[in-house]
Amino acid sequence: MTIRVNVLEVLRTAIKAVPSVKYALGVSGVISIIPIIALLKVDLLTAGFGFIVIFSKFIEAENSLFRWPSKVMVESFLLILVTYSVFIFTSTFFNWPLPLRENIGIGNKSTQGM
């Protein structure tokens, strides 16, 4: 006895019965990207830029359900990127919040032995 199940029809029925299933599927899709990125050994910064590009397309759509969540996510990624850049810059040139040169081993040789 063979039972044929149409997966898309099951998903449509589940979304009609419980509308929040749509959001759960979106969240699970985003979370499933994490092991894929780890498996392919993609740089996290590259993956972050990929997310920004993908979600910026959702922002451009006029009637997209994901418009505002995407906008918040893109702005958050940009804020994290700018903060990261500022901290790397100040750490390299002003030794604040941490002396980056000493931590990666390229500090002044005469002061390392002290």
Side-chain angles (χ1 to χ4, degrees):
M1 178 191 252
T2 304
I3 298 175
R4 292 186 178 232
V5 177
N6 186 350
V7 176
L8 292 177
E9 190 61 36
V10 171
L11 286 175
R12 286 187 191 116
T13 306
I15 291 171
K16 284 181 186 177
V18 182
S20 60
V21 168
K22 184 177 0 179
Y23 302 111
L25 289 172
V27 169
S28 64
V30 170
I31 291 173
S32 68
I33 292 174
I34 295 170
I36 293 171
I37 290 171
L39 180 69
L40 296 176
K41 297 182 181 175
V42 176
D43 182 33
L44 291 178
L45 191 58
T46 306
F49 280 124
F51 278 125
I52 289 174
V53 169
I54 290 168
F55 281 100
S56 67
K57 295 299 179 185
F58 282 126
I59 293 172
E60 291 174 3
E62 290 185 25
N63 295 327
S64 175
L65 178 66
F66 297 106
R67 183 180 177 123
W68 288 107
S70 299
K71 194 169 191 170
V72 168
M73 189 168 167
V74 167
E75 296 295 329
S76 300
F77 274 136
L78 288 175
L79 180 65
I80 290 168
L81 180 66
V82 168
T83 305
Y84 175 77
S85 300
V86 167
F87 281 148
I88 289 294
F89 179 81
T90 58
S91 181
T92 303
F93 295 108
F94 304 114
N95 292 331
W96 183 87
L98 293 173
L100 183 66
R101 290 181 188 172
E102 293 174 13
N103 288 338
I104 62 173
I106 60 171
N108 190 354
K109 300 289 183 195
S110 62
T111 60
Q112 284 183 354
M114 294 182 168

